[in-house]
Each structure stands twice: as structure tokens, then as C-alpha cells.
Amino acid sequence: MTSLLPWIALLLPLASMFVILLATRSLRTLSAFISVAAVLGSFVCSCLIFFQQTSAAAAICWIDLAPLFSVPLGLTLDPLSRSMLFMVTGVGAVIHIYSLGYMSADAGKSRYFAGLSLFMFAMLGIVLANNFVMMFIFWELVGVSSYLLIGHWFERPAAAEAAKKAFITNRIGDFGFMLGILMVWTGTGSLVFTEIAAGMAKLTAHPSYLTAAALLVFCGAVGKSAQFPLHVWLPDAMEGPTPVSALIHAATMVAAGVYMLVRVGFLIDASSGALHVIAWIGTITAVLAALMATQQNDIKRILAYSTLSQLGYMVMAVGLASGQAAMFHLFTHAAFKALLFLGAGSIIYMLHHEQDIWRMGGLAKRLPITFLTFLVGTLALIGFPGFSGFFSKDAILALAYERSLPIFAFAAFTALLTAFYMTRLVVVAFFGDARSPHAARGAESPIVMTLPLILLSVPAAIGGFGFFARNFLSLPNETKPVVAVPVIALLALLIGVVSALLLYRNRTTEPVEIELFRNRFYFDELYTALIKSTQGLLAAIAAFIDRWILDGAIVRGLSGGTWGSGFLLRLLQVGNLQAYGFLFGLGIIGLIYFTVFH
Amino acid sequence: MSYLELLRLAAPEAIVVLTAFVVLTIGLVTGRREAGDTPAATAGLGALVAALGLAIAAATIVRLPGHATLFHGMLVVSPLNSLFQVIVLVLAFFTVILARGERLLPNKGEYLAMILLATVGLMLLIGSEELLMIFIGLELTGLSLYVMTAFDKASQTSAEAGLKYFLFGSMASAFTLFGLSLIYGFTGTTSLAAIGPRLAEQALPPLLFVGIVMTLIGFLFKIAAAPFHLWAPDAYQGAPVSTAGFIASGSKVASFIVLGKILLIGFGPVSGSADWHGLIAGWTPILAVLSALSILIGNLVALVQKNVRRLLAYSAVAHGGYTLLGLIAGGRAGFSATLFYTTIYAVTLVGAFGVVGFVRRENGGDDLADFAGLRARSPLLAGCMAIFLLSLAGLPPLAGFFGKFYLFSTALRAGANHGLLWLVALALFGSLISLYYYLIVLKVIFLDENAQATPAVARYDFEMRADYLPKMTLLVLAGAVLLLGIIPGTLVARILASFG
């Protein structure tokens, strides 16, 4: 059954953006409500799609040169995209509502909501695309909207820098992604996912070609999902407004990379070499990011590193050839991480943009709803039994245990670290005495902000139970249950929590200083130095080539030559009719000679 | 075959002829009262009737039966012919509207009538698959266009351009007629459909190739392929602007479709091959040589032009060269690529000449210097011109990009082992050069200051009420160029479907 519902869900936010930009830019509150209405509309459509189990959408052929090149403009609706659609619009709707409160006094509110609408459009496009071309276009659009939203407070240099960094880092990954798409297209002759899947035989015949293509496609996910070594942009992206961090840099956009990998799972699973690389990239990201998180003081940055680490888990699961486990964790993570970010936003909002956890303290009493919901999010994140994160993380750990023990060891270690840094965050921020005047006077946020917290804490708490999760996605099939996995996971959890409790209870300053972790393994410094030195050298060489070889020899010579020949040819255009007639006749004689005597 | 049937199938042409007479009468009755300018109201009435007649003719074409053939192919109704007749009518329609802007022309009624008669010629060219009828269409178009070119009687360059165009055109026609007689002598028929099989079953004497080459001359002249392009710069520069636009658009579209039909249907068996390694005698290598020559000469000479209309003329030579690529590639894909490209090129050029017309009226000239600072004077015109020129240069997402992509990729796939690679590489190189001179024009429009600024006069001129319609037309054309770049599939699918 074809249905227009997905198109409506997709295009509503776009329409909202245009209305805001063209008509209601000066009416800030109206703009906000238009945007919220659009995303709610999309959400309703997604619910209808989800519960009616609509399976195919109307498809249009965009460019059709059948033997040569054709791009169908089609949407895909399978269980994967249906539940992703539901999740994205659901979380999106909650965060739009939350933004009404968080951004209520912002001067650029219209611009902000237009940006959010653009983002929703682009993100839904990625989710629904049934071919690589559309996905790539929306992929770039997501990058643009992320750039705009990170740089929302562009008058702050840090925000402008962060926006630029995010965009450029993403472009590096996207370049590889594009090459990968071109390789797949060359190999199979199609850009549509289903057709590529059908034509995989052409690719599997050349294993090294396939591996290269899969890894290049993975590059796109490395950029967008902030995997090592392109992870550096995500923490900086926290310069954007907190709802943006929650929506884009925790729940949806950064998950797009994982979603894409699962969507083209048939491609990646076919190459064991690529799988191996992907699994290890995910593992490295998970461990490194967790280590860095233990020494951060900015509440949003802690959450950002935790996001990196959790994304590492998902990519690890993809690399272990289980898209279901990755998607499972993606869903639970979207709920609890959005919840945590919004909770952090609520704190930041009430403390007048104070983000240092050492300047908080004692917030549990003053912001009870925020505290309780934040606690739910934390328990889910560290994988406390019964909460959603427990189930999804357990699925990945079990998978790792079964496939690769070294990866399992790292994953378990990451779980320990996760428990450690989250306990540290909660203990320092919410307990003890208030350590700044703002923290001492803070009060609970308005209902428009606490309601989303409560709404999100429901899936964060119970989202992992099979009876609930099964409605949304196909759960990773349980192989024979191994007792060791949950036991080790619980052990890691306990060690992490207890050590953090012992270390940070009633402290007012950081008791352990590990410079290496605090400075994020000096990645940024390394990249800066690398860029500076190579860039200087490259620039010098390029300038030399440009000035002397390209400009001097080739361009001047060529343009001199072309201009010269142009002048010469113009001489033929004498304006004399007899001369023209002569040339005309000469042309005919030349042609006949060429044809007959050649 | 009853005459009623003939009238029914030839109704579109008949309607346009009738409209031409009506417009002529309107011009005669009212237009000659005062010397010099035609009264605005009369000109408006004439243009209205002409536009209406064209619209009705287009509507009639849509209602024709799908397939019909009269008198061994003298008049053929097929989806392809109908589609392109409609396209030509639309181009004529835009020309009529843009001609409204040219207030300096005397005797508007006669001018409009000539546009309509030229359109009839084009419709016959497209609608016929018989050599004699094609020749008549060619002549009717040519004679009307010669008159239109020389129409600006006050201008010496217009008269000169008309004369050159006429003399060249006559020469080309003479060669074509000679070629046609040779073809007839060898095959004993003038029907395109019959010529193909006859050629296939006999040995090919050299004289036949002479006939083929000569037949092609008339069309190569029309599409201004080098070295038969020498009339084009003068005609484009000297003719009234709307005429130049029509020569570059409608006349080219019709010429390409006829050329394609003659080559692919009539001369199909003697196509030969233009592959780098496997040159086989036939018309393909001729076209390949001419295409290469056109691309080189057109682009190189365009580089040094100081007049925008001359620049457009030379770039037209180059674009003619690109468009030939599709015919050289042959087959359905090649022909459809050629037709697609020539259509979008026509739309773009009508628009570009429309902008030139406005600038010319405002500044009295169309040299590069006259375009300086156009952005400040009229952002609308500057924006439209940017779209047209960038599309000509072939930048995405405009129509020109997709057109070139389609043409070049088709040509690349046509020959065995990418035999046409040399020509495609040359065409790409030509596009690179062309980007430079198009950008020069845009630089002048957007960055240079207006040297002889006369803002008061300019504003007065630009706010004339009569300009409203032509400006909207330009906007529509620019929108079409953008839209055809974003969703080219609609037109391509239509062309492919019309092949049946």
C-alpha cells in the first residue's frame, strides 16, 4: 500500500522552516510554535505509520536515464526505518517543547527554531532514504543544520570555532563516504539499497574492492558518529544550546552514522576485514572517550564524552556483525542520553549558565524533579539492572564475549569507567554542599522543561524490557545465555560506582589529577600541530607550484596561447563577404575531400 | 486522403499562418499613421493576437491524433514531432513577448507577422519527413529570418547583418538543394523512411558522399557549425535582439531535430564511425570533425570578444559543437541527449537575449561595458543573467549542467572502448574555457561600477509598465532553467517516450 504519510512527515519540518524564514521571522514566539506544531505533526504521522505498519511509500523517479544513470527519489519503510522514524520524531518533539522553555528569552529564537526544523527535515530524510544519493544529500544537510545550530551563539568565538570544527571534521569523513558510494555504484551499477543488496555478488567477487568500498562508506559514519580518530568535534559541539546537544549531538544525528551502517549492513557484513576494523575503531573510541570523561569538569562535556563512548559501543556492535544489537543500544541510548542532556540543561538554565560541576553541589534538594529524572538517566546509562541501558549494553557485551574476548575485555572496562564517571558526576553535582552562590539559590525549572524530562524518563527506565522493546525493533537473538557476561558487567558496575563514591563523597575539589585524560590524550594539540606543520609546508609547496609552474608556465602560457589563437581566429572574421564565401567553399571542399578520400 | 483530413492534420500550421495574416492586417490598418514608432496600443494588440494564435496552435497540436502520415511523409504527426512543434511554439511565444520590449522597431505588425511565418517554417521542418518538404520549410524559415534580421531599418549593422545572413543562407541552400538532387538520383525517392533501406542495399559510390555532405550544409549552416558559422556573429550582433534570440533558439531546435532525423533515419546505413582508432567513412566522422572545430573556434574566439552578443554568438558555435556529440553518438540515447540539450539551450538563450535587450534599450549598446553595474540597477535582470550564463557554462544545479552531463556521458558510452573519448575530452576542455568568458560577463555585471551612470533615466526606463510582462517572462525562463536542472527527468522522459 502506498501512502503519502511518510512524505508528509518528511516535508512538514521543511515547510515550517520556509514559513519561519520567509514570513514569521520577526514574530519569535509564533515561529517557535510553528516549528513545534510541525514536529508534532511529523510525530503523529510517524505514529500512524508505526502502528499501521505501513510498509512502502510513494516513489518518484528523479533522474531517469535508464541504462546510464538513474536516481529514484524513493522512501523506504521497513521495520528499521519505521522505528527510527518514530524515535527521531518522538525525541525531536520532546526536545522542541523543551526548547520553548530553554530558549524563551533568546534573541535569535526564530533562527533557532528554523534551524531545528531544517535539522528534523534532514534527519528524517536520512532515515527514510532508499538510495545513496538521497542519503548523501540529507547527510550533508544534517551537517549544515548542525553547523548552524552549534554556531547559534555565533557572537561567541568558541561557538563559531566549534561549528567550523564540526563541519570541517565531518567533511573529511564525508569525502570518504562519497568515494565509497562511487565505488559501490561502479561495482554494482545501482544506488538503491535493495538493488545493491541484490547485486552483491558482483562485489563479493572482488574481496579487496569490497573491503575498500565498505571502509570508505564507514568513513562517513566515522565523521558523523564521531568515532576515533575524527571524534574531536563532538565535545566542542557542546558550545551549542543544550537542547541542540541533546537532539543532535546525543540522540539523533550522531546516531545517523550507526543507522547508516545498519542500513547498508549487507555491504559491511560481506567483508570480514572491514568488520574487523570497524569493531576495533568502535572499541578504541569507547575506551578512550570513557577515560577522558573521568577527568572533565564541564557537565555537558562529561555527557559528550559519554556519548562518544556509547557510540563506540554501537559501532563495536556493528563491527561484530550485529546490527540489531547496535540499533537496540541506539534506541535506549537516545532516550536516556537525551534525558541526561535535558537534565543538564535544566541545571544550567537554573544556575545561569554555570556548567562546572565543582561549582554546583547540593542540587538534589533544590531541583528534585531534575534530580530524580537525571538519576533514572544515569542508572540507565551505567547499565543498572532493570533499566534500559542494562539490557542493550548486556546484548553488546554478550556479543563481544562470543566473538572476540579482547574486545569484550575492553567493553567491560568501559562499563566500569562509565559507572565511575557518572557516579562522580551525580555525587559532585547533586550532593554535598552548594559550592557557588547560584547553586545555593537554584530552584526547579518551569513545567515546559520538566515535563519533557518526565516523558523521557519512562522509556529510559523501561525501554529495555523485551516486552516493550520488541514492539520497536527486532531484538538481537539470544544465543545460549552465558552467566559470565551479566556477572562481569555487574561486577564492573559495582567497582565503578563504589570507587567513585569513596573517592568523591564530600569533596570540594578534584582529588586525582590525570593530565593525560583531562587533556583528552592531547588529540587536539596533536592535530593542531600536525595541521600547522604540514599545512605550512604544503602551503609553501602549493604556493610555489601555483606561482611558478601553474600560474607562470601553464596558465600564462595557455591563456596567452588561447588569447593569441583567439586573436588569430578573429582575423579570419574580417567582415568581408567575399572572404567569408571563400572560407565557406573551402570548408565544403575540405569536407568532401575528407569524406571521399579518407 | 480527403482534404478535410489534410486540413485537420495541418490545422496548427494553418492557424499560425492565419494569425500572421491577421497581425499583418492589424499592423497595416493602424500602424502606418505616423512615421517612426508604432503606436503602443497597436503593437500591444498585434502582440496579443500573435501570442493568442500561437497558444491556440499549441492547443491544437495537443489534440491531434497520435500518429498520422500524409503524402509519403510530407506531413507526419508523431509524438516526437508534436512535442517539438509545441516547444518551438513556446519559444516563438516568448520571442513575441520579449519583442514587446523593443520599442524602436517600426512597423511592429510586419515584424510579428515575420516571426509567425518563421514559426510556420520551423513547424514544417519538424513535421516533415520528406526531403522536398524539409527544404521548403528550411527556405520559409530562412527567408523570414533574413527579413527579420534586417528589420531595424535605422541601423546600418542590421542591414549589413541581414545581407550577410541572406547571402550565406542562399549559398547554403543551393548546396543543400544540389545535395538533395544527388540523393534523389541515387535512391529514387525523397522520403526519409525509404532512403535508408535503399542506401543499405547498394554499394556506396564517392558521389553519394558528396551528396550527403552537400545535403548537410544547409543544416550545419543553420546550427552555425564551424566553418559555416561566419554569418552568426554579425547576425547575432546586428539583428533586432528578439530576432537574434529566435535565430539562436527556435531555428536551432528545429534544425537539430531535422538534422537528427535525416542522419539517423535517412542516412542511418552510412553512418561510419568517428572512433579514434577505427575511423570509418560516413557522416559520423564529418560531424565529429565539425564538432571539434566548432568547439575550438567558438570557445577560443569568444574569449576575446568585447560585445556580449558577439560573445553569445561564438559560444553558440561552441554549443552547436557540443550538441552534435549526441548525434555522433547516435541511437535513441544520443538523439534524446541532443534534443534535450538543444531545448534547454534554446530556453536559456531566449532569456539571455531578453536581458541583453533590456540593457541595450537602457544604455543604447550591448558591449561588455554597458553591462557594468547591472546588479545595482536591476537585481532581477542581473540575477536572471547569472542563471542563464552559469547554465550555459554548465554549473550544477542548472539545466546546462545536466544537459552536458547527459550529452558527454552518452557520447562516452557510445563508441566501443570509449572511442569518442577524444571528442568528449575536447568538449570538456571547451567548457572549461567557456566558464572563463561567462564569468567575465558576470564579473562585469556584479562587481564593476557603472561608468556612464545615468540612474535617473535608467530608473524611469526600468519602471515602465510595459516592461512588466517581459520581465516576468525572464523570471519564468530563469525558473525553467533552474527547474530543468533539478528535475531534468521530466523532459528527458518525455523525449524518450515520444520516440515510441
Side-chain angles (χ1 to χ4, degrees), chain A residues 62-65 67-69 558 562-563 565-567 569-570 573 575 577 580-581 583-584 587-588 591-592 594-596 598, chain B residues 164 167-168 171 175 206 209 213 217 228 230 233-234 279 286 289 300-301 304-305 310 314 402 406 409 413 486-487 489 492:
Chain A
W62 179 23
I63 300 173
D64 182 19
L65 305 176
L68 206 64
F69 177 68
L558 208 63
T562 11
W563 276 73
S565 45
F567 270 114
L569 286 171
R570 198 164 71 154
Q573 200 82 24
L577 207 55
Y580 285 6
L583 286 173
F584 192 108
I588 295 170
L591 273 187
I592 291 176
F594 174 76
T595 325
V596 177
H598 195 82
Chain B
K164 277 183 184 164
L167 287 174
F168 264 101
M171 257 167 81
F175 275 108
F209 282 110
V213 169
I217 300 295
F228 310 112
L230 297 155
D234 290 317
L279 211 61
I286 305 179
V289 169
L300 289 181
V301 184
V304 288
Q305 297 305 320
R310 274 189 105 75
Y314 281 107
F402 184 81
Y406 191 15
S409 52
R413 291 201 176 198
I486 296 172
I487 40 169
V492 174

Side-chain angles (χ1 to χ4, degrees), chain B residues 275-339:
Chain B
D275 284 9
W276 189 240
H277 293 297
L279 211 61
I280 302 171
W283 51 261
T284 316
I286 305 179
L287 286 196
V289 169
L290 292 183
S291 160
L293 209 58
S294 304
I295 292 169
L296 275 180
I297 290 185
N299 281 319
L300 289 181
V301 184
L303 270 181
V304 288
Q305 297 305 320
K306 294 272 172 269
N307 178 288
V308 173
R309 287 215 256 168
R310 274 189 105 75
L311 186 146
L312 285 175
Y314 281 107
S315 90
V317 174
H319 282 282
Y322 305 143
T323 319
L324 282 176
L325 275 178
L327 294 181
I328 296 167
R332 285 164 56 98
F335 196 25
S336 83
T338 287
L339 293 182

